[in-house]
Amino acid sequence: MYVEDSTYIGVYEKMLNRALNGKAKIQRVIPLGTREFVVEKALEDTELDGRRRLYIVDGDLDLIAWERMKSAPHLYRLQAYSIENVLFELEAVERYCTFAMPARTSGAALSSVSFDNLMSDVKTQLAPYVTVLGIARRLKLRDAIFSINPPSISRTERGKYIGVDKNKCQKRIRQMISKIISEVGLRKYRITKGKVLKIIRSKNLPAEQFVPGKSFLIWYLNHRVGYAGGLSHTQPTIVSYLAEHCTLRHEPKLSKRLRAVASG
């Protein structure tokens, strides 16, 4: 299996072997570099020669920016922004909160991080924010205003980034839309917005699947655990723990693809 970077080799092994459900076992996960480089190598590797391999890349903003992307026989694009999104399941998050706050019951630990409130922020504030980023990606606009900068749209309490600051987020959205319109015009912005929203609907993507998992979901979760008096951990530690307890229900096609590869 070929993936993007070396940070989550162990996580990929856990996730992929869980997806195979004992029917086969991943022998090796090889990091190749950037998403673009992995895709490039997959496009070059088109031989159907019996060698069992798969190139796996994140969906990234392309997930909502484009209806179709370049495909290859051995390429699989996650149907989520990143691996962190795939692993961010309620049950896995609840298990992690209990691990990070061992003095509390699982229900109390999850309640301590106000998980429902976090998901409300994701749906009502971050989804529109990322949708505009998707519009910019489709229009191939490059500007600092379109960079993902969580602290710039977040609220803090006692030194912890615990969620979205509604006013800051809406201000950034307005700034991005203004920049897009200044570059391509109002009509093209509206047409592109309609296309991106249609893609999100057609793929039936919930907000937690296309809002960047590493930059927001895992990041806020860690800060909320710390704010609630729990133990903060590095992102790789959190992601590895989630991988131990996820069901991969957000990525049902992956299991099917892996079994197909395993069977040759």
Side-chain angles (χ1 to χ4, degrees):
M1 294 296 156
Y2 299 96
V3 298
E4 294 180 34
D5 59 54
S6 60
T7 306
Y8 293 145
I9 290 178
V11 170
Y12 266 105
E13 289 177 350
K14 292 176 185 176
M15 184 182 79
L16 298 177
N17 282 317
R18 182 180 290 272
L20 285 167
N21 196 27
K23 294 181 173 61
K25 188 174 182 179
I26 301 300
Q27 292 184 333
R28 191 178 178 192
V29 176
I30 303 172
L32 293 181
T34 65
R35 186 171 66 99
E36 291 75 15
F37 187 71
V38 177
V39 171
E40 178 185 335
K41 289 300 180 183
L43 294 174
E44 293 173 355
D45 184 4
T46 59
E47 293 295 325
L48 301 175
D49 53 12
R51 289 186 298 124
R52 293 180 290 180
R53 73 269 196 198
L54 195 63
Y55 297 78
I56 302 175
V57 296
D58 293 342
D60 200 70
L61 284 173
D62 288 345
L63 180 69
I64 64 172
W66 304 104
E67 299 91 339
R68 292 178 296 277
M69 291 171 279
K70 290 181 179 178
S71 61
H74 310 296
L75 176 63
Y76 182 84
R77 298 178 187 270
L78 293 177
Q79 301 303 298
Y81 187 93
S82 66
I83 187 175
E84 292 90 347
N85 296 77
V86 174
L87 303 176
F88 200 80
E89 299 175 1
L90 174 59
E91 296 80 4
V93 170
E94 185 172 9
R95 294 285 291 271
Y96 172 73
C97 289
T98 306
F99 164 73
M101 293 181 273
R104 306 182 192 186
T105 65
S106 59
L110 188 66
S111 178
S112 296
V113 301
S114 301
F115 185 77
D116 290 343
N117 172 265
L118 172 59
M119 298 313 294
S120 177
D121 271 1
V122 170
K123 293 173 184 175
T124 62
Q125 303 299 323
L126 291 177
Y129 168 77
V130 177
T131 298
V132 178
L133 292 175
I135 294 168
R137 172 64 63 88
R138 186 178 178 99
L139 292 168
K140 300 180 181 179
L141 298 178
R142 302 290 181 184
D143 190 274
I145 192 67
F146 303 123
S147 62
I148 297 173
N149 184 4
S152 71
I153 62 169
S154 299
R155 69 181 189 276
T156 61
E157 290 187 25
R158 300 203 303 265
K160 300 294 184 181
Y161 291 98
I162 60 170
V164 181
D165 184 304
K166 182 178 178 180
N167 292 330
K168 290 180 181 179
C169 186
Q170 291 184 349
K171 180 180 179 181
R172 178 55 64 91
I173 289 172
R174 290 194 297 270
Q175 290 172 336
M176 292 193 296
I177 292 174
S178 178
K179 179 64 175 177
I180 293 172
I181 292 173
S182 72
E183 293 286 336
V184 303
L186 179 60
R187 183 174 182 274
K188 192 166 185 178
Y189 160 72
R190 286 176 172 171
I191 291 172
T192 308
K193 177 183 177 181
K195 290 179 178 179
V196 170
L197 290 174
K198 184 178 179 181
I199 291 169
I200 293 172
R201 289 193 299 268
S202 67
K203 293 182 179 181
N204 196 29
L205 292 171
E208 60 268 25
Q209 286 300 95
F210 66 86
V211 167
K214 181 178 181 179
S215 300
F216 291 108
L217 305 181
I218 304 296
W219 190 64
Y220 282 147
L221 176 64
N222 197 26
H223 276 265
R224 286 183 176 224
V225 166
Y227 180 79
L231 302 172
S232 296
H233 294 93
T234 63
Q235 286 214 351
T237 298
I238 298 171
V239 172
S240 180
Y241 195 91
L242 294 177
E244 291 277 6
H245 301 285
C246 72
T247 63
L248 298 180
R249 70 166 182 268
H250 293 318
E251 198 70 30
K253 293 181 180 178
L254 179 59
S255 297
K256 183 177 180 181
R257 184 68 181 273
L258 285 170
R259 286 195 294 270
V261 173
S263 66

